[in-house]
Structure formats: structure tokens, C-alpha cells
Short mmCIF file of all heavy atoms in Angstrom, two decimals:
data_model
loop_
_atom_site.label_atom_id
_atom_site.label_comp_id
_atom_site.label_asym_id
_atom_site.label_seq_id
_atom_site.Cartn_x
_atom_site.Cartn_y
_atom_site.Cartn_z
N MET A 1 -4.37 5.18 -8.29
CA MET A 1 -5.33 5.36 -7.23
C MET A 1 -6.45 6.24 -7.74
O MET A 1 -6.24 7.22 -8.42
CB MET A 1 -4.65 6.02 -6.04
CG MET A 1 -5.60 6.29 -4.92
SD MET A 1 -4.78 6.98 -3.48
CE MET A 1 -4.85 8.70 -3.90
N THR A 2 -7.66 5.88 -7.42
CA THR A 2 -8.81 6.68 -7.83
C THR A 2 -9.11 7.72 -6.76
O THR A 2 -8.94 7.47 -5.57
CB THR A 2 -10.05 5.80 -8.05
OG1 THR A 2 -10.34 5.13 -6.83
CG2 THR A 2 -9.80 4.78 -9.14
N ALA A 3 -9.53 8.88 -7.20
CA ALA A 3 -9.89 9.95 -6.27
C ALA A 3 -11.30 10.40 -6.60
O ALA A 3 -11.68 10.49 -7.77
CB ALA A 3 -8.92 11.11 -6.41
N PRO A 4 -12.11 10.70 -5.59
CA PRO A 4 -13.48 11.13 -5.86
C PRO A 4 -13.52 12.54 -6.44
O PRO A 4 -12.67 13.38 -6.14
CB PRO A 4 -14.14 11.09 -4.48
CG PRO A 4 -13.02 11.12 -3.50
CD PRO A 4 -11.82 10.54 -4.18
N LEU A 5 -14.52 12.78 -7.29
CA LEU A 5 -14.74 14.09 -7.87
C LEU A 5 -15.91 14.76 -7.17
O LEU A 5 -16.90 14.11 -6.83
CB LEU A 5 -15.06 13.97 -9.37
CG LEU A 5 -13.92 13.48 -10.26
CD1 LEU A 5 -14.44 13.26 -11.68
CD2 LEU A 5 -12.79 14.47 -10.26
N ILE A 6 -15.81 16.07 -6.97
CA ILE A 6 -16.87 16.83 -6.32
C ILE A 6 -17.31 17.93 -7.27
O ILE A 6 -16.48 18.62 -7.87
CB ILE A 6 -16.38 17.43 -5.00
CG1 ILE A 6 -16.02 16.31 -4.04
CG2 ILE A 6 -17.41 18.36 -4.39
CD1 ILE A 6 -15.46 16.78 -2.74
N CYS A 7 -18.62 18.08 -7.42
CA CYS A 7 -19.18 19.13 -8.27
C CYS A 7 -19.39 20.38 -7.44
O CYS A 7 -19.94 20.32 -6.34
CB CYS A 7 -20.50 18.65 -8.87
SG CYS A 7 -21.30 19.90 -9.89
N THR A 8 -18.95 21.54 -7.97
CA THR A 8 -19.11 22.79 -7.23
C THR A 8 -20.47 23.44 -7.48
O THR A 8 -20.83 24.38 -6.79
CB THR A 8 -18.01 23.79 -7.63
OG1 THR A 8 -18.08 24.03 -9.03
CG2 THR A 8 -16.64 23.26 -7.26
N GLY A 9 -21.21 22.96 -8.46
CA GLY A 9 -22.52 23.52 -8.78
C GLY A 9 -23.62 22.49 -8.60
O GLY A 9 -23.51 21.56 -7.80
N GLU A 10 -24.68 22.65 -9.36
CA GLU A 10 -25.83 21.75 -9.28
C GLU A 10 -25.59 20.51 -10.14
O GLU A 10 -25.10 20.60 -11.26
CB GLU A 10 -27.09 22.48 -9.78
CG GLU A 10 -28.34 21.65 -9.68
CD GLU A 10 -29.57 22.42 -10.15
OE1 GLU A 10 -29.56 23.65 -10.08
OE2 GLU A 10 -30.51 21.76 -10.59
N VAL A 11 -25.91 19.36 -9.60
CA VAL A 11 -25.73 18.09 -10.30
C VAL A 11 -27.08 17.68 -10.90
O VAL A 11 -28.09 17.69 -10.21
CB VAL A 11 -25.23 17.00 -9.34
CG1 VAL A 11 -25.12 15.66 -10.04
CG2 VAL A 11 -23.90 17.40 -8.73
N THR A 12 -27.05 17.30 -12.19
CA THR A 12 -28.27 16.80 -12.83
C THR A 12 -27.97 15.46 -13.48
O THR A 12 -26.88 15.24 -14.01
CB THR A 12 -28.78 17.78 -13.91
OG1 THR A 12 -27.72 18.05 -14.82
CG2 THR A 12 -29.25 19.08 -13.29
N MET A 13 -28.97 14.57 -13.42
CA MET A 13 -28.85 13.25 -14.05
C MET A 13 -29.46 13.32 -15.44
O MET A 13 -30.64 13.60 -15.59
CB MET A 13 -29.58 12.20 -13.22
CG MET A 13 -29.02 11.97 -11.84
SD MET A 13 -27.50 11.03 -11.82
CE MET A 13 -28.05 9.44 -12.34
N VAL A 14 -28.66 13.07 -16.47
CA VAL A 14 -29.16 13.05 -17.84
C VAL A 14 -29.87 11.73 -18.09
O VAL A 14 -30.99 11.68 -18.58
CB VAL A 14 -28.02 13.27 -18.85
CG1 VAL A 14 -28.52 13.16 -20.28
CG2 VAL A 14 -27.37 14.63 -18.61
N ASP A 15 -29.22 10.64 -17.78
CA ASP A 15 -29.82 9.30 -17.81
C ASP A 15 -29.18 8.48 -16.70
O ASP A 15 -28.53 9.03 -15.82
CB ASP A 15 -29.70 8.64 -19.19
CG ASP A 15 -28.26 8.53 -19.67
OD1 ASP A 15 -27.35 8.53 -18.82
OD2 ASP A 15 -28.04 8.45 -20.89
N THR A 16 -29.33 7.18 -16.73
CA THR A 16 -28.84 6.36 -15.62
C THR A 16 -27.31 6.29 -15.54
O THR A 16 -26.77 5.94 -14.50
CB THR A 16 -29.39 4.94 -15.73
OG1 THR A 16 -29.01 4.40 -16.99
CG2 THR A 16 -30.90 4.92 -15.59
N THR A 17 -26.61 6.64 -16.61
CA THR A 17 -25.15 6.55 -16.59
C THR A 17 -24.45 7.89 -16.76
O THR A 17 -23.25 7.97 -16.58
CB THR A 17 -24.66 5.61 -17.71
OG1 THR A 17 -25.12 6.12 -18.97
CG2 THR A 17 -25.17 4.20 -17.49
N THR A 18 -25.17 8.96 -17.08
CA THR A 18 -24.54 10.26 -17.35
C THR A 18 -24.97 11.28 -16.30
O THR A 18 -26.15 11.46 -16.04
CB THR A 18 -24.93 10.77 -18.75
OG1 THR A 18 -24.64 9.76 -19.71
CG2 THR A 18 -24.17 12.03 -19.10
N VAL A 19 -24.00 11.95 -15.74
CA VAL A 19 -24.24 13.00 -14.75
C VAL A 19 -23.57 14.27 -15.25
O VAL A 19 -22.43 14.25 -15.70
CB VAL A 19 -23.65 12.59 -13.38
CG1 VAL A 19 -23.83 13.71 -12.36
CG2 VAL A 19 -24.26 11.31 -12.89
N THR A 20 -24.28 15.39 -15.17
CA THR A 20 -23.69 16.68 -15.56
C THR A 20 -23.60 17.58 -14.34
O THR A 20 -24.36 17.46 -13.38
CB THR A 20 -24.54 17.38 -16.64
OG1 THR A 20 -25.85 17.60 -16.12
CG2 THR A 20 -24.62 16.54 -17.89
N CYS A 21 -22.65 18.49 -14.41
CA CYS A 21 -22.40 19.42 -13.31
C CYS A 21 -22.53 20.84 -13.85
O CYS A 21 -21.92 21.18 -14.86
CB CYS A 21 -21.01 19.18 -12.74
SG CYS A 21 -20.52 20.34 -11.46
N ALA A 22 -23.33 21.69 -13.15
CA ALA A 22 -23.49 23.07 -13.59
C ALA A 22 -22.23 23.89 -13.30
O ALA A 22 -21.92 24.84 -14.01
CB ALA A 22 -24.70 23.69 -12.89
N GLY A 23 -21.48 23.52 -12.28
CA GLY A 23 -20.24 24.21 -11.94
C GLY A 23 -19.07 23.49 -12.61
O GLY A 23 -19.10 23.19 -13.79
N GLU A 24 -18.06 23.25 -11.83
CA GLU A 24 -16.91 22.51 -12.35
C GLU A 24 -16.59 21.35 -11.42
O GLU A 24 -16.92 21.35 -10.24
CB GLU A 24 -15.68 23.42 -12.51
CG GLU A 24 -15.21 24.06 -11.25
CD GLU A 24 -14.04 25.00 -11.50
OE1 GLU A 24 -14.01 25.68 -12.54
OE2 GLU A 24 -13.14 25.01 -10.65
N TRP A 25 -15.94 20.33 -11.97
CA TRP A 25 -15.55 19.16 -11.20
C TRP A 25 -14.20 19.42 -10.55
O TRP A 25 -13.28 19.94 -11.17
CB TRP A 25 -15.44 17.93 -12.11
CG TRP A 25 -16.74 17.48 -12.68
CD1 TRP A 25 -17.18 17.70 -13.94
CD2 TRP A 25 -17.75 16.73 -12.02
NE1 TRP A 25 -18.42 17.14 -14.12
CE2 TRP A 25 -18.79 16.53 -12.95
CE3 TRP A 25 -17.89 16.22 -10.74
CZ2 TRP A 25 -19.95 15.84 -12.63
CZ3 TRP A 25 -19.06 15.51 -10.43
CH2 TRP A 25 -20.06 15.34 -11.37
N GLN A 26 -14.08 19.07 -9.28
CA GLN A 26 -12.82 19.21 -8.57
C GLN A 26 -12.46 17.85 -7.97
O GLN A 26 -13.32 17.13 -7.48
CB GLN A 26 -12.93 20.24 -7.45
CG GLN A 26 -13.08 21.65 -7.94
CD GLN A 26 -13.13 22.63 -6.78
OE1 GLN A 26 -13.32 22.25 -5.63
NE2 GLN A 26 -12.96 23.91 -7.09
N VAL A 27 -11.18 17.54 -8.02
CA VAL A 27 -10.69 16.30 -7.43
C VAL A 27 -10.55 16.51 -5.93
O VAL A 27 -9.93 17.47 -5.48
CB VAL A 27 -9.33 15.88 -8.04
CG1 VAL A 27 -8.80 14.64 -7.36
CG2 VAL A 27 -9.48 15.67 -9.53
N TYR A 28 -11.16 15.61 -5.15
CA TYR A 28 -11.08 15.69 -3.69
C TYR A 28 -9.84 14.94 -3.24
O TYR A 28 -9.72 13.74 -3.40
CB TYR A 28 -12.34 15.08 -3.07
CG TYR A 28 -12.32 15.10 -1.56
CD1 TYR A 28 -12.51 16.28 -0.86
CD2 TYR A 28 -12.11 13.94 -0.84
CE1 TYR A 28 -12.48 16.31 0.51
CE2 TYR A 28 -12.09 13.95 0.54
CZ TYR A 28 -12.28 15.14 1.21
OH TYR A 28 -12.27 15.15 2.57
N GLU A 29 -8.89 15.67 -2.68
CA GLU A 29 -7.66 15.08 -2.19
C GLU A 29 -7.64 15.18 -0.67
O GLU A 29 -7.94 16.22 -0.11
CB GLU A 29 -6.44 15.79 -2.77
CG GLU A 29 -6.35 15.69 -4.27
CD GLU A 29 -5.17 16.46 -4.81
OE1 GLU A 29 -4.34 16.92 -4.01
OE2 GLU A 29 -5.09 16.62 -6.02
N SER A 30 -7.30 14.09 -0.03
CA SER A 30 -7.20 14.13 1.42
C SER A 30 -6.06 13.24 1.88
O SER A 30 -5.59 12.36 1.16
CB SER A 30 -8.50 13.67 2.07
OG SER A 30 -8.65 12.28 1.93
N ASP A 31 -5.59 13.47 3.09
CA ASP A 31 -4.52 12.66 3.65
C ASP A 31 -4.99 11.24 3.90
O ASP A 31 -4.21 10.30 3.81
CB ASP A 31 -4.02 13.27 4.95
CG ASP A 31 -3.35 14.61 4.72
OD1 ASP A 31 -2.86 14.83 3.60
OD2 ASP A 31 -3.31 15.43 5.65
N LEU A 32 -6.27 11.07 4.19
CA LEU A 32 -6.81 9.74 4.44
C LEU A 32 -6.75 8.88 3.18
O LEU A 32 -6.42 7.70 3.25
CB LEU A 32 -8.25 9.84 4.95
CG LEU A 32 -8.90 8.54 5.36
CD1 LEU A 32 -8.13 7.92 6.52
CD2 LEU A 32 -10.34 8.76 5.76
N LEU A 33 -7.01 9.47 2.03
CA LEU A 33 -6.92 8.72 0.77
C LEU A 33 -5.48 8.31 0.49
O LEU A 33 -5.22 7.20 0.02
CB LEU A 33 -7.48 9.54 -0.39
CG LEU A 33 -8.98 9.79 -0.37
CD1 LEU A 33 -9.37 10.74 -1.49
CD2 LEU A 33 -9.74 8.49 -0.48
N GLU A 34 -4.54 9.21 0.77
CA GLU A 34 -3.12 8.89 0.57
C GLU A 34 -2.69 7.78 1.53
O GLU A 34 -1.95 6.88 1.15
CB GLU A 34 -2.25 10.13 0.78
CG GLU A 34 -2.43 11.18 -0.29
CD GLU A 34 -1.95 10.70 -1.64
OE1 GLU A 34 -0.94 9.97 -1.71
OE2 GLU A 34 -2.61 11.05 -2.64
N PHE A 35 -3.16 7.83 2.77
CA PHE A 35 -2.83 6.80 3.75
C PHE A 35 -3.42 5.46 3.34
O PHE A 35 -2.76 4.42 3.45
CB PHE A 35 -3.35 7.21 5.13
CG PHE A 35 -3.04 6.21 6.20
CD1 PHE A 35 -1.73 5.99 6.60
CD2 PHE A 35 -4.04 5.49 6.80
CE1 PHE A 35 -1.42 5.07 7.59
CE2 PHE A 35 -3.76 4.56 7.79
CZ PHE A 35 -2.45 4.36 8.18
N ALA A 36 -4.64 5.46 2.83
CA ALA A 36 -5.28 4.22 2.38
C ALA A 36 -4.51 3.63 1.20
O ALA A 36 -4.40 2.41 1.08
CB ALA A 36 -6.73 4.47 2.01
N HIS A 37 -3.97 4.48 0.35
CA HIS A 37 -3.18 4.00 -0.77
C HIS A 37 -1.90 3.32 -0.30
O HIS A 37 -1.44 2.33 -0.88
CB HIS A 37 -2.84 5.15 -1.71
CG HIS A 37 -1.99 4.76 -2.87
ND1 HIS A 37 -2.44 3.93 -3.86
CD2 HIS A 37 -0.71 5.06 -3.18
CE1 HIS A 37 -1.46 3.73 -4.73
NE2 HIS A 37 -0.40 4.41 -4.35
N LEU A 38 -1.31 3.81 0.79
CA LEU A 38 -0.09 3.20 1.32
C LEU A 38 -0.36 1.83 1.94
O LEU A 38 0.56 1.02 2.07
CB LEU A 38 0.53 4.11 2.37
CG LEU A 38 1.11 5.42 1.84
CD1 LEU A 38 1.57 6.28 3.01
CD2 LEU A 38 2.28 5.15 0.90
N LEU A 39 -1.59 1.55 2.33
CA LEU A 39 -1.92 0.28 2.97
C LEU A 39 -2.29 -0.82 1.98
O LEU A 39 -2.56 -1.94 2.41
CB LEU A 39 -3.07 0.48 3.96
CG LEU A 39 -2.75 1.35 5.17
CD1 LEU A 39 -3.99 1.52 6.03
CD2 LEU A 39 -1.62 0.77 5.98
N THR A 40 -2.30 -0.53 0.70
CA THR A 40 -2.62 -1.56 -0.28
C THR A 40 -1.51 -2.60 -0.33
O THR A 40 -0.35 -2.30 -0.09
CB THR A 40 -2.83 -0.96 -1.69
OG1 THR A 40 -1.65 -0.26 -2.06
CG2 THR A 40 -4.02 -0.03 -1.71
N PHE A 41 -1.87 -3.84 -0.61
CA PHE A 41 -0.92 -4.95 -0.62
C PHE A 41 -0.09 -4.89 -1.89
O PHE A 41 -0.61 -4.85 -2.99
CB PHE A 41 -1.67 -6.27 -0.54
CG PHE A 41 -0.76 -7.46 -0.50
CD1 PHE A 41 -0.06 -7.77 0.65
CD2 PHE A 41 -0.58 -8.27 -1.61
CE1 PHE A 41 0.79 -8.85 0.71
CE2 PHE A 41 0.25 -9.36 -1.57
CZ PHE A 41 0.94 -9.66 -0.41
N ASP A 42 1.23 -4.90 -1.74
CA ASP A 42 2.15 -4.87 -2.87
C ASP A 42 2.89 -6.20 -2.90
O ASP A 42 3.71 -6.49 -2.01
CB ASP A 42 3.13 -3.70 -2.71
CG ASP A 42 4.03 -3.53 -3.91
OD1 ASP A 42 3.81 -4.22 -4.93
OD2 ASP A 42 4.95 -2.70 -3.84
N LEU A 43 2.61 -7.02 -3.89
CA LEU A 43 3.19 -8.36 -3.97
C LEU A 43 4.70 -8.31 -4.14
O LEU A 43 5.42 -9.11 -3.53
CB LEU A 43 2.55 -9.14 -5.13
CG LEU A 43 2.96 -10.59 -5.26
CD1 LEU A 43 2.58 -11.37 -4.01
CD2 LEU A 43 2.33 -11.22 -6.48
N GLN A 44 5.22 -7.39 -4.90
CA GLN A 44 6.66 -7.29 -5.11
C GLN A 44 7.37 -6.92 -3.80
O GLN A 44 8.40 -7.51 -3.46
CB GLN A 44 6.96 -6.25 -6.18
CG GLN A 44 8.43 -6.16 -6.53
CD GLN A 44 8.69 -5.18 -7.65
OE1 GLN A 44 7.80 -4.47 -8.09
NE2 GLN A 44 9.92 -5.11 -8.11
N MET A 45 6.84 -5.96 -3.05
CA MET A 45 7.45 -5.58 -1.78
C MET A 45 7.36 -6.73 -0.78
O MET A 45 8.30 -6.96 0.00
CB MET A 45 6.76 -4.34 -1.21
CG MET A 45 7.36 -3.86 0.09
SD MET A 45 9.10 -3.42 -0.03
CE MET A 45 9.01 -1.90 -0.92
N PHE A 46 6.27 -7.47 -0.78
CA PHE A 46 6.12 -8.63 0.09
C PHE A 46 7.21 -9.67 -0.21
O PHE A 46 7.81 -10.23 0.69
CB PHE A 46 4.74 -9.25 -0.07
CG PHE A 46 4.54 -10.50 0.73
CD1 PHE A 46 4.36 -10.45 2.10
CD2 PHE A 46 4.55 -11.75 0.11
CE1 PHE A 46 4.17 -11.60 2.84
CE2 PHE A 46 4.37 -12.90 0.84
CZ PHE A 46 4.19 -12.82 2.22
N GLY A 47 7.46 -9.91 -1.50
CA GLY A 47 8.50 -10.86 -1.89
C GLY A 47 9.88 -10.42 -1.44
O GLY A 47 10.68 -11.23 -0.97
N VAL A 48 10.17 -9.13 -1.58
CA VAL A 48 11.47 -8.61 -1.16
C VAL A 48 11.64 -8.75 0.36
O VAL A 48 12.69 -9.21 0.84
CB VAL A 48 11.62 -7.13 -1.59
CG1 VAL A 48 12.82 -6.48 -0.92
CG2 VAL A 48 11.73 -7.03 -3.10
N LEU A 49 10.62 -8.37 1.13
CA LEU A 49 10.71 -8.46 2.58
C LEU A 49 10.79 -9.90 3.06
O LEU A 49 11.54 -10.21 3.98
CB LEU A 49 9.52 -7.74 3.23
CG LEU A 49 9.52 -6.22 3.10
CD1 LEU A 49 8.24 -5.65 3.67
CD2 LEU A 49 10.72 -5.63 3.79
N LEU A 50 10.02 -10.80 2.45
CA LEU A 50 10.06 -12.20 2.83
C LEU A 50 11.43 -12.81 2.53
O LEU A 50 11.98 -13.55 3.35
CB LEU A 50 8.96 -12.98 2.10
CG LEU A 50 8.83 -14.45 2.47
CD1 LEU A 50 8.42 -14.59 3.93
CD2 LEU A 50 7.82 -15.14 1.57
N SER A 51 11.99 -12.48 1.39
CA SER A 51 13.32 -12.97 1.04
C SER A 51 14.38 -12.44 2.01
O SER A 51 15.26 -13.19 2.44
CB SER A 51 13.68 -12.56 -0.38
OG SER A 51 12.75 -13.08 -1.30
N ALA A 52 14.30 -11.17 2.34
CA ALA A 52 15.27 -10.58 3.27
C ALA A 52 15.17 -11.24 4.64
O ALA A 52 16.19 -11.55 5.26
CB ALA A 52 15.04 -9.07 3.38
N CYS A 53 13.95 -11.47 5.11
CA CYS A 53 13.78 -12.12 6.41
C CYS A 53 14.31 -13.55 6.37
O CYS A 53 14.93 -14.01 7.35
CB CYS A 53 12.31 -12.12 6.81
SG CYS A 53 11.71 -10.50 7.29
N ALA A 54 14.10 -14.27 5.28
CA ALA A 54 14.60 -15.64 5.17
C ALA A 54 16.12 -15.67 5.18
O ALA A 54 16.74 -16.51 5.85
CB ALA A 54 14.06 -16.29 3.90
N VAL A 55 16.75 -14.75 4.46
CA VAL A 55 18.21 -14.71 4.41
C VAL A 55 18.79 -14.36 5.78
O VAL A 55 19.74 -14.99 6.24
CB VAL A 55 18.69 -13.70 3.33
CG1 VAL A 55 20.17 -13.41 3.46
CG2 VAL A 55 18.37 -14.23 1.94
N VAL A 56 18.21 -13.38 6.46
CA VAL A 56 18.69 -12.99 7.78
C VAL A 56 18.51 -14.14 8.77
O VAL A 56 19.38 -14.41 9.60
CB VAL A 56 17.98 -11.71 8.27
CG1 VAL A 56 18.24 -11.44 9.74
CG2 VAL A 56 18.41 -10.52 7.43
N PHE A 57 17.39 -14.85 8.70
CA PHE A 57 17.16 -15.99 9.59
C PHE A 57 18.20 -17.08 9.35
O PHE A 57 18.78 -17.63 10.30
CB PHE A 57 15.76 -16.56 9.38
CG PHE A 57 15.53 -17.84 10.13
CD1 PHE A 57 15.28 -17.82 11.49
CD2 PHE A 57 15.59 -19.06 9.48
CE1 PHE A 57 15.09 -19.00 12.19
CE2 PHE A 57 15.40 -20.25 10.17
CZ PHE A 57 15.14 -20.22 11.53
N ILE A 58 18.46 -17.41 8.09
CA ILE A 58 19.42 -18.48 7.77
C ILE A 58 20.82 -18.09 8.24
O ILE A 58 21.54 -18.91 8.82
CB ILE A 58 19.39 -18.79 6.26
CG1 ILE A 58 18.06 -19.47 5.90
CG2 ILE A 58 20.55 -19.67 5.85
CD1 ILE A 58 17.80 -19.61 4.43
N ILE A 59 21.23 -16.85 8.02
CA ILE A 59 22.55 -16.39 8.46
C ILE A 59 22.64 -16.44 9.98
O ILE A 59 23.63 -16.92 10.55
CB ILE A 59 22.85 -14.99 7.91
CG1 ILE A 59 23.06 -15.05 6.40
CG2 ILE A 59 24.07 -14.38 8.60
CD1 ILE A 59 23.16 -13.71 5.74
N GLY A 60 21.63 -15.94 10.66
CA GLY A 60 21.65 -15.93 12.12
C GLY A 60 21.62 -17.34 12.70
O GLY A 60 22.32 -17.64 13.67
N HIS A 61 20.82 -18.20 12.11
CA HIS A 61 20.75 -19.58 12.59
C HIS A 61 22.09 -20.29 12.37
O HIS A 61 22.57 -21.01 13.25
CB HIS A 61 19.63 -20.32 11.85
CG HIS A 61 19.40 -21.71 12.34
ND1 HIS A 61 18.90 -21.98 13.59
CD2 HIS A 61 19.63 -22.91 11.75
CE1 HIS A 61 18.81 -23.29 13.74
NE2 HIS A 61 19.24 -23.88 12.64
N SER A 62 22.69 -20.08 11.22
CA SER A 62 23.99 -20.69 10.93
C SER A 62 25.07 -20.16 11.88
O SER A 62 25.91 -20.94 12.37
CB SER A 62 24.41 -20.42 9.49
OG SER A 62 23.45 -20.95 8.60
N ALA A 63 25.06 -18.88 12.15
CA ALA A 63 26.05 -18.31 13.07
C ALA A 63 25.85 -18.86 14.48
O ALA A 63 26.81 -19.16 15.19
CB ALA A 63 25.95 -16.79 13.08
N GLY A 64 24.62 -19.01 14.90
CA GLY A 64 24.35 -19.56 16.22
C GLY A 64 24.77 -21.01 16.34
O GLY A 64 25.35 -21.43 17.36
N ARG A 65 24.50 -21.79 15.31
CA ARG A 65 24.92 -23.19 15.34
C ARG A 65 26.44 -23.30 15.34
O ARG A 65 27.01 -24.16 16.03
CB ARG A 65 24.33 -23.94 14.14
CG ARG A 65 22.83 -24.06 14.11
CD ARG A 65 22.28 -24.97 15.15
NE ARG A 65 22.71 -26.34 14.84
CZ ARG A 65 22.54 -27.37 15.64
NH1 ARG A 65 21.94 -27.19 16.80
NH2 ARG A 65 22.94 -28.55 15.30
N THR A 66 27.10 -22.45 14.55
CA THR A 66 28.56 -22.48 14.50
C THR A 66 29.15 -22.10 15.86
O THR A 66 30.08 -22.75 16.33
CB THR A 66 29.07 -21.51 13.42
OG1 THR A 66 28.50 -21.88 12.16
CG2 THR A 66 30.57 -21.53 13.30
N ALA A 67 28.60 -21.08 16.48
CA ALA A 67 29.08 -20.66 17.80
C ALA A 67 28.86 -21.78 18.84
O ALA A 67 29.71 -22.02 19.69
CB ALA A 67 28.39 -19.38 18.24
N LYS A 68 27.75 -22.45 18.76
CA LYS A 68 27.46 -23.53 19.70
C LYS A 68 28.42 -24.71 19.48
O LYS A 68 28.92 -25.28 20.45
CB LYS A 68 26.02 -24.00 19.53
CG LYS A 68 25.62 -25.08 20.51
CD LYS A 68 24.17 -25.46 20.32
CE LYS A 68 23.80 -26.57 21.30
NZ LYS A 68 22.44 -27.01 21.11
N LEU A 69 28.68 -25.03 18.23
CA LEU A 69 29.59 -26.14 17.94
C LEU A 69 31.03 -25.82 18.36
O LEU A 69 31.79 -26.70 18.69
CB LEU A 69 29.54 -26.50 16.46
CG LEU A 69 28.24 -27.17 16.01
CD1 LEU A 69 28.23 -27.33 14.50
CD2 LEU A 69 28.08 -28.52 16.68
N MET A 70 31.37 -24.55 18.34
CA MET A 70 32.73 -24.17 18.75
C MET A 70 32.83 -23.96 20.25
O MET A 70 33.88 -23.57 20.75
CB MET A 70 33.14 -22.89 17.99
CG MET A 70 33.30 -23.10 16.50
SD MET A 70 33.64 -21.58 15.62
CE MET A 70 35.26 -21.21 16.25
N ASN A 71 31.73 -24.18 20.97
CA ASN A 71 31.66 -24.03 22.43
C ASN A 71 32.04 -22.63 22.90
O ASN A 71 32.74 -22.47 23.90
CB ASN A 71 32.54 -25.08 23.14
CG ASN A 71 32.02 -26.47 22.93
OD1 ASN A 71 30.80 -26.70 22.90
ND2 ASN A 71 32.93 -27.42 22.80
N ARG A 72 31.59 -21.62 22.20
CA ARG A 72 31.91 -20.25 22.60
C ARG A 72 30.74 -19.56 23.26
O ARG A 72 30.87 -18.46 23.72
CB ARG A 72 32.34 -19.46 21.38
CG ARG A 72 33.59 -20.04 20.77
CD ARG A 72 34.32 -19.03 20.02
NE ARG A 72 35.51 -19.69 19.49
CZ ARG A 72 36.61 -19.07 19.27
NH1 ARG A 72 36.70 -17.79 19.53
NH2 ARG A 72 37.63 -19.70 18.79
N VAL A 73 29.61 -20.20 23.29
CA VAL A 73 28.44 -19.56 23.89
C VAL A 73 28.18 -20.18 25.23
O VAL A 73 28.31 -21.31 25.47
CB VAL A 73 27.20 -19.70 22.98
CG1 VAL A 73 25.98 -19.17 23.68
CG2 VAL A 73 27.43 -18.97 21.68
#
């Protein structure tokens, strides 16, 4: 995750790609950035959750059909 940097002193532009800071650079950390990081899409977690939901659905559907066929519901 990338975090923004904040200069504690005066910022000067050397050229179009280089910026210097008269003070020191500090990493800006906030709870909002951490929360935004938690909302990113994780393909591996999606696969695990989708597989778990599919397995639970198949087991529940099979149990329901079996109960119906045995006339217990």
C-alpha cells in the first residue's frame, strides 16, 4: 500500500520530476488509508469464499432433497 509523504519544511521544485524538502519527509498514516486498503479486491479470498458458498449450498440442497424424499419434512 502506498502512503502519502508530507514535508515539514519548505518544498522547492528542482525540475519537473524532482522535489526537495527543506525539512524532513514524514509518512502520513491515517485510519482512512488503512480502511481503504481493506476494501481492495483480493482474488484469492474471493475464490475461497465462492468455493465455500458453493460447497455449503450443495450440501444444504442435497440434505433438503434427501429429507423431502424420505417424507420427513
Side-chain angles (χ1 to χ4, degrees):
M1 178 177 87
T2 59
L5 293 174
I6 296 177
C7 178
T8 59
E10 183 179 334
V11 176
T12 54
M13 296 285 291
V14 176
D15 57 24
T16 57
T17 59
T18 307
V19 177
T20 60
C21 176
E24 60 183 37
W25 293 102
Q26 291 182 345
V27 176
Y28 179 73
E29 298 177 9
S30 73
D31 294 335
L32 185 62
L33 292 174
E34 291 295 323
F35 181 67
H37 178 67
L38 292 174
L39 294 178
T40 58
F41 182 75
D42 186 7
L43 185 61
Q44 185 177 7
M45 182 60 73
F46 176 75
V48 168
L49 290 175
L50 183 64
S51 300
C53 288
V55 168
V56 168
F57 173 78
I58 291 170
I59 291 172
H61 185 68
S62 301
R65 295 290 293 171
T66 302
K68 182 178 179 183
L69 290 173
M70 293 175 67
N71 293 324
R72 298 205 179 209
V73 174

